[in-house]
Amino acid sequence: MRLTALLLSTALLAPPALAQSAAVERVEVGNRVSENLPEVPAELVERLDRYQNTRGASLGGWLPDGSVLVSTRFGETNQVHRVASPLGMREQLTFYREPLSAVTPAPGRNAFVFGKDVGGSEFWQLFWFDVDTREVTMLTDGGRSQNTTPLFSHDGKQLAWASTARNGTDYDLWVRDMATGQSRIVLQEGGLWSPMDFSPDGQRLLVLKYVSINESYPGELDLATGKLRLFPVEGGKSAFNAFRYAPDGRSVFYVSDEGREFMTLRHHDPQGGEPRLVSGNIPWNVTGLEIAPDGRHLAYAINEDGISRLRVLALPEQRQIRLPDLPIGVIGNFSFSPDGRSLAVTLNSATSPSDVYVYDLGTPALARWTRSEVGGLDASRFRAPELVRFPTFDEVDGKPRTIPAFYYRPEGDGPFPVVISIHGGPEAQALPTFNPTTQFLLEELKVAVLVPNVRGSAGYGKTFLQLDNGFLRKDSVKDIGALLDWIATRPELDANRVGVSGGSYGGYMVLASMVDYADRIRAGIDVVGISHFGTFLKNTEDYRRDLRRAEYGDERIPEMKAFHDEIAPLNNAHRITSPLFVAQGYNDPRVPWTEAEQIVKAVRGNGGEVWYLMFMDEGHGFRKKTNSDYFGAASILFWQQHLLAE
């Protein structure tokens, strides 16, 4: 369905007053469709321009010559570049209108695989890129399938990945022989499976079935016979996020929360008895795991209250080695060089975009390989947040439960207007990463920003993670009410000028907060948000439905359907009385555009003010710079008109 059909369907959705009102006339400019949006002043665009021209660089991996691949944006979208030395030039290798994902170098080859979709549809296809010839070959079916998690065998002769090509719902595992070009399904069990690691001889594959953030099932697949052996899981159900063969090809390193609150690094040698806790003395989640190609080192990252720590162990004795400290920040992906002597790391912080750093493990020494641009701004004026905790409505061990939040405070005494930014997921975690819009609000508009990790967020143990599941969904909204109470106790904050913003599940939280706290929230911005869990589950892509039922509840159960109806912002739209800005990508496979259309119709039908913005070439969020810039400018204008006004 393209724009003509969209307009027809919207006319059917719209009440007569909406269809006849000039104030909600649809305006089409290229791939942008809008309703009720004022023209963005040129002066505001100019003020924003430097902030919107910041950019970062994220690690893609290593090539055999010791250069690294990075993902960065010089034009409209993130593309692959090569950097050959510390702070060396970035040589752009790919030039597509669409952003790339899943960049995976091929061991022993001057080549890599990447994923690319069209218009944010997330039907990623995998492509082979030969760095020497610059030739590109599509490896997957090119159809309406999702192809993810590409993984090479250690010798580069095989490529494994997960694909929905067979039926559009289940993620089967495929393996391609890179010499012959022949691909075959090696695992067809139903559900969401991912390849985790090839054995050193390439004959076995560690695999993982993901049910929810609380439940995964690891196993080993014999590639010759197709026999799947599932590993025992302590307690019958636990979460896993990494699985790697040890260099001996027999034992494994993995990360799970079996019998513990946090995701813990473990080592299991089947000849040595029970699994051994490697990070058992650390009361925080392990978030990543890599083993060097030469088998001499293992690296893992820890999330300590939103700040990352990197540890490297010498193998096989698992002795921690001392390394120079990284700057304080959030670690993204990391990867050992082909010779195992270096370790590259992506690092982001609240005051600096993502950049790549490289450890020389022999020295040891740390070198910065990229220095990303900040639009000509004075980076010393960027402000880092304070980690605060505010009491909420329930108790733990007889004391009020506290909720963590990152508090960005402008310079000065206040009282400052406030934007509460709510993350999506819901099982994600807000981290103190660089956000140019936040820095603009702080510096240019003197608006404070609070970024809470309400119950249900990852990073604080599995008990906290499960506090919003099923019929507990609205308890996370009560945490926003508690944050509003906390704001009212702060003399430097203006409790009469509070806005909320969020995307995806965070968009639902915006709508739900505007329903429940209409008299305390001045305005809200909902980006690709859920307006009714029942309609969302009906219309989301088939391959996501069971995954989301595990979190939000199964709408086929009458009691859960009734609960979804009760809490739906769509069914309570008459209680949204503050101005609302709804933004959506038309190709969104996760939260369909109909979720946006129906809440816009409902709020307007009750006399509410709504700005509406749709990009026809975007999906679950805005990844093209022109679109992102326009949305950013429109958002600032919305805050100026509805939050900053006295």
Side-chain angles (χ1 to χ4, degrees):
M1 184 188 299
R2 293 301 294 170
L3 184 58
T4 301
L6 172 62
L7 294 175
L8 289 173
S9 65
T10 304
L12 294 174
L13 284 171
L18 176 59
Q20 295 170 9
S21 172
V24 292
E25 177 186 359
R26 287 213 158 183
V27 176
E28 179 184 355
V29 178
N31 281 310
R32 184 177 77 231
V33 178
S34 63
E35 292 178 356
N36 207 33
L37 263 70
E39 183 177 352
V40 180
E43 182 271 336
L44 174 58
V45 173
E46 186 174 346
R47 287 177 69 190
L48 270 168
D49 190 53
R50 290 186 300 168
Y51 290 86
Q52 293 180 331
N53 277 298
T54 58
R55 58 174 150 243
S58 299
L59 176 68
W62 294 84
L63 292 175
D65 64 0
S67 60
V68 297
L69 299 175
V70 301
S71 174
T72 193
R73 177 196 54 75
F74 281 170
E76 269 289 285
T77 58
N78 280 354
Q79 298 295 314
V80 179
H81 298 66
R82 176 169 57 180
V83 180
S85 61
L87 300 182
M89 66 169 286
R90 301 182 198 180
E91 176 194 4
Q92 187 165 347
L93 300 179
T94 63
F95 298 83
Y96 291 100
R97 295 180 181 272
E98 304 291 347
L100 306 188
S101 63
V103 177
T104 307
R109 300 281 298 276
N110 202 28
F112 58 90
V113 165
F114 65 87
K116 183 175 69 69
D117 69 355
V118 176
S121 68
E122 299 188 9
F123 290 121
W124 296 295
Q125 303 303 314
L126 299 181
F127 298 81
W128 169 270
F129 186 98
D130 187 305
V131 176
D132 294 326
T133 66
R134 307 299 165 97
E135 292 184 357
V136 179
T137 305
M138 182 183 290
L139 304 180
T140 48
D141 63 12
R144 196 173 167 83
S145 63
Q146 190 180 92
N147 300 274
T148 67
T149 57
L151 171 74
F152 279 102
S153 59
H154 298 273
D155 59 10
K157 294 181 179 180
Q158 299 178 86
L159 174 69
W161 72 94
S163 177
T164 63
R166 177 172 57 87
N167 62 10
T169 300
D170 297 307
Y171 290 79
D172 302 323
L173 297 189
W174 290 65
V175 168
R176 181 184 181 93
D177 184 315
M178 299 306 294
T180 66
Q182 296 298 309
S183 299
R184 61 190 178 100
I185 296 179
V186 296
L187 184 67
Q188 184 177 310
E189 292 284 323
L192 199 167
W193 291 84
S194 297
M196 304 301 292
D197 193 23
F198 279 93
S199 61
D201 61 9
Q203 296 180 14
R204 292 164 291 140
L205 186 66
L206 290 176
V207 299
L208 190 68
K209 180 181 181 180
Y210 183 92
V211 177
S212 74
I213 196 169
N214 303 301
E215 182 179 2
S216 297
Y217 297 95
E220 183 181 56
L221 180 68
D222 186 306
L223 293 174
T225 66
K227 182 180 179 180
L228 172 65
R229 177 171 65 99
L230 291 177
F231 298 142
V233 175
E234 182 181 340
K237 185 174 78 171
S238 291
F240 294 77
N241 73 7
F243 239 94
R244 299 286 187 275
Y245 285 102
D248 58 27
R250 179 186 69 246
S251 62
V252 292
F253 288 95
Y254 62 102
V255 178
S256 83
D257 66 0
E258 294 168 287
R260 301 176 70 87
E261 273 292 308
F262 291 93
M263 302 292 288
T264 305
L265 176 62
R266 303 152 193 258
H267 176 241
H268 185 214
D269 186 336
Q271 296 182 0
E274 295 297 313
R276 173 180 177 270
L277 298 177
V278 179
S279 66
N281 62 329
I282 301 171
W284 297 103
N285 280 347
V286 172
T287 58
L289 162 65
E290 292 294 336
I291 298 176
D294 64 2
R296 296 178 61 188
H297 293 97
L298 177 151
Y300 67 100
I302 307 154
N303 172 2
E304 296 182 3
D305 226 346
I307 299 298
S308 295
R309 311 292 181 196
L310 183 71
R311 297 196 177 188
V312 176
L313 306 180
L315 297 180
E317 63 269 30
Q318 299 179 25
R319 171 180 52 85
Q320 184 173 336
I321 65 173
R322 294 183 61 85
L323 293 174
D325 290 334
L326 280 167
I328 293 175
V330 176
I331 292 173
N333 50 344
F334 48 96
S335 176
F336 286 97
S337 60
D339 62 9
R341 297 177 181 175
S342 301
L343 176 66
V345 181
T346 301
L347 185 73
N348 189 300
S349 77
T351 58
S352 175
S354 293
D355 272 310
V356 176
Y357 293 76
V358 174
Y359 281 107
D360 181 327
L361 298 176
T363 312
L366 179 66
R368 186 171 184 167
W369 274 53
T370 67
R371 189 181 303 278
S372 293
E373 296 81 0
V374 291
L377 295 166
D378 180 359
S380 68
R381 297 192 63 82
F382 294 156
R383 303 185 73 82
E386 173 190 1
L387 178 61
V388 299
R389 291 182 178 271
F390 60 91
T392 190
F393 65 92
D394 57 347
E395 295 184 342
V396 180
D397 298 329
K399 298 180 181 179
R401 185 188 306 277
T402 60
I403 302 296
F406 293 103
Y407 176 22
Y408 294 81
R409 176 175 172 168
E411 185 177 6
D413 298 326
F416 305 112
V418 183
V419 168
I420 300 172
S421 178
I422 310 173
H423 70 72
E427 318 99 326
Q429 181 185 15
L431 299 171
T433 54
F434 185 74
N435 186 313
T437 300
T438 295
Q439 297 299 331
F440 183 90
L441 289 170
L442 295 167
E443 178 71 14
E444 304 288 340
L445 301 184
K446 301 302 179 185
V447 173
V449 178
L450 280 160
V451 188
N453 277 305
V454 297
R455 69 190 62 216
S457 301
Y460 304 95
K462 62 185 178 185
T463 297
F464 191 82
L465 184 67
Q466 296 173 19
L467 287 176
D468 68 340
N469 285 2
F471 292 104
L472 301 176
R473 180 62 47 205
K474 286 297 288 288
D475 284 358
S476 60
V477 183
K478 291 181 183 178
D479 289 340
I480 299 300
L483 181 53
L484 293 170
D485 293 339
W486 183 85
I487 290 170
T489 69
R490 307 286 295 198
E492 80 278 12
L493 300 179
D494 186 347
N496 294 315
R497 291 190 292 167
V498 178
V500 286
S501 68
S504 191
Y505 176 77
Y508 159 76
M509 289 289 288
V510 165
L511 297 173
S513 298
M514 294 179 74
V515 166
D516 288 0
Y517 308 109
D519 58 335
R520 302 167 68 185
I521 293 175
R522 181 75 74 90
I525 300 178
D526 156 29
V527 184
V528 298
I530 300 166
S531 57
H532 191 310
F533 288 114
T535 57
F536 157 73
L537 288 168
K538 177 182 178 182
N539 295 318
T540 193
E541 284 289 340
D542 292 345
Y543 60 81
R544 291 187 53 81
R545 191 167 293 113
D546 285 341
L547 175 67
R548 294 296 80 199
R549 282 171 174 157
E551 169 64 31
Y552 297 132
D554 192 331
E555 80 288 359
R556 296 168 297 185
I557 300 172
E559 294 81 3
M560 185 56 69
K561 179 183 183 303
F563 179 67
H564 286 163
D565 288 339
E566 176 189 344
I567 69 171
L570 180 65
N571 294 345
N572 295 278
H574 60 282
R575 296 169 59 186
I576 298 178
T577 55
S578 301
L580 173 65
F581 184 4
V582 176
Q584 180 69 38
Y586 177 66
N587 298 317
D588 191 340
R590 306 187 190 196
V591 180
W593 61 271
T594 48
E595 290 295 302
E597 293 276 332
Q598 63 191 17
I599 195 65
V600 169
K601 171 195 170 185
V603 174
R604 283 215 190 111
N606 289 295
E609 179 180 355
V610 185
W611 295 15
Y612 185 37
L613 176 63
M614 171 106 66
F615 293 109
M616 305 301 293
D617 59 343
E618 296 279 13
H620 197 63
F622 311 137
R623 302 177 67 191
K624 296 182 172 70
K625 186 177 187 301
T626 299
N627 297 338
S628 179
D629 286 358
Y630 183 86
F631 168 70
S635 297
I636 295 297
L637 181 62
F638 181 80
W639 293 134
Q640 286 180 324
Q641 293 192 6
H642 298 298
L643 180 65
L644 302 188
E646 294 291 345

